[in-house]
Amino acid sequence: MRETDQEIMAKDKAGYLPVFNRYEIVLDHGEGAYVWDHNGKKYLDFLGGIAVNVLGHNHPALVKAVSEQAGKMLHCSNLYYTQPQADAADKLARLSGLEEAKVFFGNSGAEANEGAIKLARKFAHAKDPEKSQIITAWMSFHGRTLATLTATGQPHYQEGVGPLPEGFDYVHYNDIAELESMMSDKTCAVMLETIQGEGGVYPPNPGYLQKVRELCDKHGALLIFDEIQAGIGRSGKFFAYDKYGVKPDIVTLAKGLAGGVPIGAFVARGEVAKAMKPGDHGTTFGGNPLACAAANVVLDTVPKAEFLGQIEKVGGYFKQQLVKLQEKFPSLIKEVRGEGLILGAELSKDNIGRDIVNDCLAEGVIINCTVGKVLRFIPPLIITEEHVDEVIGALEKVLPKYN
Ligand code: PLP
């Protein structure tokens, strides 16, 4: 017999490690930009599984590819070649525009970053065993493994789990002078989100990433871009770095890369990738045929000019509408930021974000709030202007109470 929402939530609370502050709904299925809860209530999904469901829910080509691959072979060891993995690596390497790029597939964003950090250290240590310093940004987010939560410049993620891996230092994102003062020939890598996501949706200032690149070149340090949230077309370019005209040495991806099937990847330019030899890195599941079959659909769809053009167009319209909302609620919305379909509206008041998100849920719209005060919009990349109007309509209803 079908369990009630209350029964499902009680069972989950009894059995699942309580690390998530969950909303009190049980989601059941989705179609395009919409999801339905267990009681049949429909929600417009402007979170997309936190930037994962790039093609929306129940996308026919994705469902077909995953179903067909499941019927052929779900998994085989990385000790063997498979067509889906070879295809996905080839497509990603070409798209990256990095010279003689090599791709490694893992299962998550944290694992992608962990691999990128390992590769950077291997590359640097071959020249100088003390060239270990990894510089990241305050308010960054890079994952939850020990190395990636140390890379994450938000100390609350690091509390109580030390000792932490050594060699990480932090600078303020967009502050080039601080980065310059922190770097030396002992800097192994600078690792930045091309657009900061969890930290509150902060795009780079004009020219910032170019200057970071120059400093890395000066000190023989690698530049790692974490595009786990901002990549896969979300900025309007497949790789957000192409928006800013700056190539990294290593880029990491995950989230939307397989449209909802777990995956992670790092892509490195050939000279850097050579630092890893057989046996230096690995994974059981990473890049298995199921995940790669899904990734191939995303990699065949998102990079197309019309698809990316539509992201720019809808994203531009969405940003305009958010700015208009700010004009209506000037004492409530402090700033609207972002690119394409990674947008944020910073609230002037602390601690109302979660209530606004809950009120939007009641209106049938899923949004998210990060750092307690930035409403964040990272919807499926297939949304239309009508979907944007629906979200703005819900916010117009919800916000007056908080004004
Ligand atoms: N890097 C960035 C920029 C992210 O936004 C996230 C997740 O939110 C991660 C890394 C970690 O990814 P995962 O949760 O798949 O380990």
Side-chain angles (χ1 to χ4, degrees), residues 108-110 113 141-143 193 198 226 228-229 255:
S108 68
N113 284 336
F141 187 82
H142 297 295
E193 287 162 87
E198 298 298 310
D226 174 341
I228 285 161
Q229 190 160 145
K255 289 193 181 281

Side-chain angles (χ1 to χ4, degrees), residues 270-343:
E271 189 205 342
V272 173
K274 278 189 197 132
M276 283 225 182
K277 305 269 180 310
D280 283 349
H281 199 51
T283 166
T284 295
F285 285 121
N288 83 5
L290 186 79
C292 287
N296 279 316
V297 177
V298 172
L299 292 168
D300 288 340
T301 310
V302 175
K304 291 210 168 110
E306 321 86 86
F307 195 95
L308 293 173
Q310 178 66 6
I311 293 167
E312 290 259 10
K313 185 165 161 280
V314 179
Y317 176 76
F318 193 5
K319 197 167 181 184
Q320 254 175 23
Q321 299 311 304
L322 287 172
V323 169
K324 282 190 189 157
L325 201 67
Q326 184 191 17
E327 285 159 9
K328 272 191 197 159
F329 299 96
S331 60
L332 194 54
I333 300 178
K334 195 168 151 192
E335 193 178 32
V336 172
R337 296 187 288 266
E339 303 275 8
L341 288 172
I342 173 165
L343 295 173

Side-chain angles (χ1 to χ4, degrees), residues 23-41:
Y23 293 94
E24 296 285 298
I25 56 172
V26 181
L27 291 179
D28 187 67
H29 63 279
E31 184 69 45
Y34 292 92
V35 291
W36 281 259
D37 73 13
H38 207 220
N39 299 313
K41 180 171 170 176

Side-chain angles (χ1 to χ4, degrees), residues 55 82 288 395 400:
L55 301 181
T82 68
N288 83 5
L395 285 167

